[in-house]
Amino acid sequence: MTTASSIVRPLVSGMVRPITGSQTTTQVIILAGQSNMVGRASFDGGASYPDGVAQYDRNGQIVAASAPLDHHDAIAGDMGLDLQFAIDFKAAYPNVDLVFLPAAQGGTGFSDGQWGVGEPLYADLVTRANALFADNPSFQLGAILWHQGERDSGLASYRDELEATIVGLREEIAVASSATPFILGELLPDFSDASAENAAVNTTIQDVPNRMMYTATVDTTEPTRLASIGDGLHFDAASLRLIGSRYFDALPVARANKPTVPGIVTDLSAMAENQQVALAWSAPMTGLSPITDYHIERSLDGANWNTLSDAVSAVPNHTDSGLTNGTTYFYRVSAINAVGTGIASATASAMPDAGAATILSTNFACTTDDGTSHSFSDIDMGDGGTVFIAAACRGDTSADALSEMTIGGQTATLLELNKAYSNYIRFGYVTNAPAGAQDVVVTHGSVQSRLGIHVWVLGNVAPASAVAASGLGTDNAIDVFADGLVLGVATSINPASQNVDWIGLDERTEWTNYGDSFGSASADRSFAEDIEAQAVSISTDGNYRMTSLVSLTKA
């Protein structure tokens, strides 16, 4: 608190109206920017400045406020938005004296090197403000009012320059702080509508309160659209009255625009992967305090939630691993800043899945030896894991040929035996084959010869669900499953072309002669959708043709 006399001495020589009141508070309002803050409309002859309103002029004196205020390029006879601001201010705070610090200049901005941090108009404002408060330590800085942007239409760095100036003024004016209200006016609507570049500057101004605390913007279109003096650039007198009132109304808005918890997280997505779910979302409004972490919750029913113990991170994504394939998981996410935790997002769900069954690698080997057992050394099993092998042989089919198969020392599970014409085909598999070069041993119930093995190393399959189909002749059929695989082997004797073509599957290994014109070929295909009785056939000029198929589902 200070007395009127202490305000008058020593700075108020020549005041037309002294600041009155036996015990008053004095607030300083800084006016900065370009011509629309100065005011280019002629005084309308209406209400003038009430008692208790002064200005700090360019001579370093506190003198009575009169239109126009002592800006850098004030034009005699004009008025500014500060006039109606002062009337509204004194009506609301009759016991508070008001001192304007006018610091605007027409046609200035960042693009001409005037308002950037440390540049001439910026530096002049800081110097004058610090001098005013040094001589009057009881004065309070009420707000900084800013109207500027017309000069900088098309300036790509406008946002960064403007924000740096707001921060800089709050830091370099000694009595200011990060909580000093900073109020920005939108541009004249006719000017904003004139070009995309003008509109972009106006949008930047409008968005400042979403990025910076204790700021507010003044609307120039609502509740009424403000008009120009006829030049499409400067507000007319009636509009200066209206915008002055709107600047005053924005004071409590700026004071209330302080950090809060973050906004609600949006666009949460959950992408199913093998034994894990990949989460991603859009970062919410920060609440004017940086987001430091996200609170991620998981549920099995969408109602009972548990917090995931993920690492602290402000990155808007997370992978939840170690899950059970085939189980549906629900998720919600909320953002955290220094103030607290925001509202949780809408839920998203996903069922982890191994994905489509895949063929990782294949191999083939054959022999012309006869016997009840055939061994193959150093068959490449790639990365190992689930391995399917189809053995094809010509020999005695009076007994159940191929009675056992070992892959890398592990006994294979055998599927349906297809035998005819003294030939047979049989699939077997193991689920945990070692990687790399391994031995394969095929044992028969009777003497067999000319044995070939077709090897598939598979990923993301459910071997126990394997379905086999045996076919005589050239045609066969089998049901296939979405994201599954079909493996096929065909045998024939004496094809003059040395060739087998496939329909319904894709050739993997061409017909290979094991000796005495007997041999086999292989094929496979992955399927995106379920198909009932997928037709598979072979075309060959050989005899004694037969096929065996295996259909596999994804894991």
Side-chain angles (χ1 to χ4, degrees):
M1 302 294 286
T2 183
T3 64
S5 60
S6 68
I7 297 172
V8 173
R9 295 193 304 266
L11 297 176
V12 189
S13 59
M15 281 191 66
V16 176
R17 269 187 316 277
I19 298 174
T20 60
S22 59
Q23 190 78 18
T24 63
T25 299
T26 301
Q27 284 202 13
V28 174
I29 301 294
I30 292 173
L31 308 172
Q34 57 185 104
S35 56
N36 271 317
M37 180 58 76
V38 179
R40 292 298 191 233
S42 298
F43 177 62
D44 59 7
S48 189
Y49 296 95
D51 289 341
V53 180
Q55 66 168 318
Y56 183 57
D57 69 12
R58 300 205 51 74
N59 294 317
Q61 300 292 308
I62 295 179
V63 299
S66 60
L69 295 183
D70 194 15
H71 288 282
H72 288 274
D73 62 342
I75 298 174
D78 287 350
M79 61 182 283
L81 63 85
D82 54 273
L83 177 53
Q84 190 62 43
F85 180 94
I87 293 170
D88 292 357
F89 184 97
K90 287 300 293 183
Y93 306 107
N95 296 322
V96 178
D97 286 333
L98 182 60
V99 174
F100 287 118
L101 193 166
Q105 181 171 328
T108 60
F110 302 108
S111 54
D112 63 346
Q114 291 295 318
W115 276 113
V117 174
E119 293 175 346
L121 291 178
Y122 174 100
D124 179 74
L125 169 55
V126 171
T127 298
R128 292 176 61 211
N130 284 336
L132 173 61
F133 288 108
D135 288 336
N136 298 271
S138 65
F139 284 10
Q140 301 170 0
L141 177 56
I144 301 172
L145 309 189
W146 174 271
H147 200 286
Q148 188 277 332
E150 298 91 347
R151 178 68 173 80
D152 293 324
S153 178
L155 179 63
S157 62
Y158 184 71
R159 169 178 163 170
D160 293 340
E161 298 260 24
L162 176 60
E163 291 185 359
T165 290
I166 295 172
V167 172
L169 291 175
R170 284 171 164 176
E171 290 179 346
E172 294 192 48
I173 295 174
V175 298
S177 72
S178 60
T180 296
F182 197 104
I183 302 172
L184 307 93
E186 294 179 4
L187 306 181
L188 182 80
D190 288 349
F191 179 83
S192 296
D193 294 343
S195 72
E197 291 80 7
N198 295 356
V201 171
N202 202 51
T203 298
T204 298
I205 293 168
Q206 292 169 334
D207 194 45
V208 168
N210 296 323
R211 304 188 304 271
M212 305 187 74
M213 70 181 84
Y214 301 106
T215 63
T217 55
V218 173
D219 198 315
T220 59
T221 59
E222 298 293 340
T224 56
R225 182 181 174 95
L226 303 188
S228 80
I229 57 177
D231 61 359
L233 179 64
H234 297 106
F235 298 105
D236 63 16
S239 295
L240 287 171
R241 293 279 186 182
L242 290 172
I243 197 172
S245 290
R246 293 177 190 179
Y247 265 92
F248 176 73
D249 292 340
L251 269 175
V253 178
R255 291 173 183 144
N257 187 26
K258 56 188 177 182
T260 64
V261 297
I264 187 170
V265 168
T266 58
D267 303 323
L268 176 63
S269 65
M271 179 70 68
E273 298 176 354
N274 185 25
Q275 296 184 323
Q276 63 186 26
V277 171
L279 302 172
W281 55 88
S282 296
M285 301 298 292
T286 64
L288 301 178
S289 177
I291 292 172
T292 57
D293 193 17
Y294 287 99
H295 182 220
I296 305 172
E297 296 175 282
R298 182 178 66 202
S299 171
L300 293 175
D301 57 10
N304 299 293
W305 298 92
N306 293 307
T307 299
L308 296 186
S309 298
D310 61 307
V312 174
S313 173
V315 177
N317 59 67
H318 175 71
T319 298
D320 186 21
S321 57
L323 305 178
T324 301
N325 287 343
T327 297
T328 299
Y329 296 88
F330 299 85
Y331 297 89
R332 65 186 186 188
V333 179
S334 48
I336 300 171
N337 64 13
V339 180
T341 302
I343 298 172
S345 68
T347 61
S349 63
M351 178 187 293
D353 192 304
T358 58
I359 297 171
L360 302 179
S361 61
T362 61
N363 213 327
F364 171 75
C366 62
T367 179
T368 59
D369 292 344
D370 297 339
T372 57
S373 180
H374 292 87
S375 298
F376 299 88
S377 300
D378 298 330
I379 303 300
D380 187 6
M381 298 297 169
D383 292 335
T386 299
V387 175
F388 272 73
I389 292 181
C393 186
R394 181 165 178 79
D396 183 2
T397 58
S398 59
D400 285 343
L402 207 166
S403 56
E404 184 179 270
M405 182 189 301
T406 61
I407 302 171
Q410 300 183 54
T411 301
T413 299
L414 301 179
L415 304 182
E416 177 182 300
L417 176 66
N418 185 9
K419 62 179 181 177
Y421 315 125
S422 297
N423 306 328
Y424 76 75
I425 307 171
R426 193 167 201 174
F427 278 89
Y429 69 86
V430 297
T431 59
N432 195 27
Q438 304 296 329
D439 295 340
V440 176
V441 179
V442 180
T443 303
H444 317 281
S446 57
V447 174
Q448 305 291 325
S449 63
R450 291 170 279 181
L451 177 70
I453 57 170
H454 298 268
V455 181
W456 289 266
V457 181
L458 305 178
N460 300 337
V461 297
S465 68
V467 176
S470 298
L472 299 179
T474 59
D475 299 324
N476 204 342
I478 195 167
D479 291 342
V480 301
F481 306 97
D483 294 329
L485 294 170
V486 172
L487 315 178
V489 170
T491 61
S492 67
I493 298 174
N494 299 318
S497 63
Q498 304 283 294
N499 182 64
V500 169
D501 291 325
W502 293 82
I503 300 173
L505 294 180
D506 305 313
E507 182 179 290
R508 175 64 64 176
T509 304
E510 184 54 271
W511 184 88
T512 302
N513 185 359
Y514 304 169
D516 296 333
S517 297
F518 172 81
S520 64
S522 67
D524 48 59
R525 180 178 289 179
S526 59
F527 292 86
E529 299 178 354
D530 292 341
I531 301 175
E532 186 175 351
Q534 164 75 4
V536 176
S537 62
I538 60 171
S539 174
T540 178
D541 51 1
N543 301 314
Y544 302 110
R545 296 159 295 192
M546 56 190 293
T547 62
S548 286
L549 307 175
V550 171
S551 181
L552 294 161
T553 64
K554 64 181 180 180

